[in-house]
Amino acid sequence: MRKEDIILRLAEIESELKKRKEDNKLSTYNKGKRHKKQMAFHRCKKRNRWVFGGNRSGKTECGAVECLWILRGIHPYRKNRKDTFGWAVSLSTQVQRDVAQAKILHYLPKSWIADITMLSGRRDSPAGGVIDQIKIKNVFGGISTLGFKSCDQGREKFQGSSLDFVWFDEEPPRDIYEECLMRVMDRRGEIFGTMTPLKGKTFLYNEIYLNRKKNPEVWYEFMNWEDNPFLSKKEVKLLEGALDTSSLDARKFGRFSDGAGLVYPEFDESVHVIEPFTIPPEWQDNISIDPGLNNPLSAHWYCTDWDGNIYVVAEHFAAGKDIDFHAAAIKEISKRIGWRTDSKGRICALIDSAANQRTLASQKSVSELFYERGIAVNPNVNKDVFSGIARIKSFLKRGNGEGNLYIFSTCRNMIDEFKSYSWAEGDMPVKRDDHCMDELRYYVMNRPMPAQDKRALSPVAADKLRRIKRGKKSFES
């Protein structure tokens, strides 16, 4: 073959590859640059999954691609089947056309389309109209169906069908959400949603984020601008400068806000909450207590590793109990995890300085009562709210020269408070459900230092530490 013919043939091949790439954008999804949180969403096997994301964080792509993988029968992480039936639910038909429908058509190769039914507009130009249904050729030989629904149609329009999945693009009204739960029940189907929580702390805040019902099938992920590898840092900085703090909570971080904003929008459960592991004795640092009798008493056990990272490894949280109960619980937890004592066999802890006060109902203070029961509490804590919050934020931000903060998944009360701790209308946090946040602040303001004596680490603990650090580097890279 002549040189000219070879060059011509190579040009034809390159043109054909480019044409195929343009016709099948789905084939390039998360190839090259990878959006790690998008992939975490796709890999999750739970049946009620949500992405709470800021604008332009990459959340809508998750929903569109997930729909097409299921409909086509090519999902890389789930069991595939033919003849699947699902809905894409938007807030209105206009939003459907401009967002969910547009994303589906962007990723859907024309060769996969078996038929399109329009509510308005032309079948040969569906992007300019409103689609009712798309029929998609399934690789197993069947035909799958994606129906488009809008919440402004009302709940009655969501009755009757049995579905394999429902994708909510943005937050639906509660009655439509509950109706769709019924639609997927027959087929053991799934619900997934992608939304920016601009409406504040609505029912999904309790249903999904706080998971008040402890549903084991619920999963969520937060996405913010920095998670999207296709947004430049310069663009992120410009967007940040255009929004106030409250708007940033939702539009950058995808956080729920009641208008005043979360105190710790930096908190990310997928990053800062880890599964328990055996802590080396050298890491043990202190216990911090926010006392309460009728109100909850909160106590947590804190450790620091050699790099200055803080680990919250155990929790005691109870209301309406006396000092005997709390002291016994603290001793039991300390014994269970092998917590150290002082030379007199006492457990040492920090405590709110208010514990030194005596009331008319008692001749002894809370501090004295704990001392009598073998818990040596230190009430000399720095209670400055703003300095404490700033210091905690430095541990949450990661990669800023400070240590990082990690919380064992068994410390549910602290995790829940992080997720709901909000600013009041003034310059102070809301004084409600803040017991864990207060004693965490006492601890960090006590200036914990990195652990010493690395030689004391056992081979098993050293191997576990290496695995933990390797996992952190993998997540951050």
Side-chain angles (χ1 to χ4, degrees), residues 277-284 303-304 306 456-458 461-462 464-465:
F277 62 91
T278 303
I279 291 289
E282 297 77 21
W283 293 12
Q284 294 182 15
C303 297
T304 55
W306 300 306
L457 195 63
S458 69
K464 183 163 286 188
L465 178 60

Side-chain angles (χ1 to χ4, degrees), residues 131-405:
I131 299 173
D132 180 31
Q133 286 188 346
I134 299 180
K135 301 285 187 179
I136 294 176
K137 300 171 187 176
N138 186 281
V139 296
F140 297 104
I143 298 293
S144 296
T145 303
L146 177 65
F148 289 90
K149 294 284 187 179
S150 61
C151 296
D152 57 6
Q153 294 175 309
R155 184 185 63 84
E156 290 76 13
K157 295 293 185 180
F158 289 77
Q159 295 176 336
S161 300
S162 293
L163 303 170
D164 293 294
F165 68 86
V166 175
W167 168 35
F168 289 110
D169 176 44
E170 299 302 342
E171 180 177 3
R174 184 175 198 137
D175 60 342
I176 290 176
Y177 169 79
E178 291 176 347
E179 189 66 42
C180 288
L181 287 177
M182 299 300 103
R183 299 306 107 226
V184 300
M185 185 179 294
D186 290 349
R187 302 193 187 189
R188 284 189 56 79
E190 57 183 295
I191 298 283
F192 48 93
T194 55
M195 60 173 279
T196 300
L198 297 175
K199 299 177 183 178
K201 295 180 180 178
T202 59
F203 78 96
L204 283 180
Y205 174 78
N206 291 309
E207 186 88 10
I208 306 298
Y209 180 53
L210 295 182
N211 195 9
R212 298 283 195 195
K213 298 176 183 176
K214 307 300 180 187
N215 183 347
E217 291 297 328
V218 164
W219 179 93
Y220 71 85
E221 180 69 273
F222 282 104
M223 285 185 189
N224 66 56
W225 297 334
E226 292 167 356
D227 296 319
N228 187 346
F230 303 99
L231 276 181
S232 69
K233 291 183 178 179
K234 183 179 179 180
E235 191 171 3
V236 169
K237 192 171 182 179
L238 287 172
L239 289 168
E240 287 176 336
L243 299 173
D244 59 30
T245 302
S246 180
S247 297
L248 276 174
D249 276 352
R251 293 192 180 275
K252 176 184 176 180
F253 296 103
R255 303 289 184 186
F256 290 89
S257 172
D258 55 8
L262 293 172
V263 175
Y264 298 117
E266 303 89 350
F267 177 75
D268 186 338
E269 195 168 353
S270 68
V271 174
H272 299 109
V273 177
I274 63 175
E275 291 306 308
F277 62 91
T278 303
I279 291 289
E282 297 77 21
W283 293 12
Q284 294 182 15
D285 190 17
N286 219 330
I287 301 170
S288 188
I289 300 172
D290 184 60
L293 297 177
N294 289 326
N295 291 323
L297 179 144
S298 173
H300 287 85
W301 283 249
Y302 296 89
C303 297
T304 55
D305 67 14
W306 300 306
D307 297 319
N309 298 308
I310 295 174
Y311 298 83
V312 188
V313 302
E315 174 180 85
H316 168 60
F317 192 94
K321 303 295 183 180
D322 59 20
I323 295 295
D324 286 326
F325 175 87
H326 293 304
I330 291 170
K331 287 180 177 180
E332 189 278 326
I333 293 172
S334 297
K335 181 179 179 181
R336 173 164 49 84
I337 65 176
W339 199 259
R340 64 169 180 244
T341 58
D342 66 10
S343 59
K344 297 181 180 179
R346 298 174 302 187
I347 297 168
C348 297
L350 302 170
I351 197 167
D352 185 348
S353 57
N356 273 357
Q357 298 173 3
R358 298 179 183 178
T359 67
L360 295 174
S362 175
Q363 294 182 348
K364 295 181 179 180
S365 68
V366 170
S367 294
E368 290 171 318
L369 293 171
F370 269 120
Y371 257 100
E372 290 177 353
R373 287 154 180 80
I375 300 176
V377 293
N378 174 11
N380 296 318
V381 296
N382 185 335
K383 295 174 64 174
D384 184 80
V385 174
F386 293 107
S387 298
I389 287 173
R391 185 149 172 77
I392 291 170
K393 282 178 174 288
S394 72
F395 280 99
L396 292 172
K397 283 182 179 176
R398 302 171 61 84
N400 62 352
E402 295 278 355
N404 299 316
L405 175 64

Side-chain angles (χ1 to χ4, degrees), residues 245 258-261 263 385-386 389 422-431:
T245 302
D258 55 8
V263 175
V385 174
F386 293 107
I389 287 173
S422 302
W423 293 108
E425 291 184 3
D427 294 328
M428 295 293 287
V430 175
K431 196 62 187 163

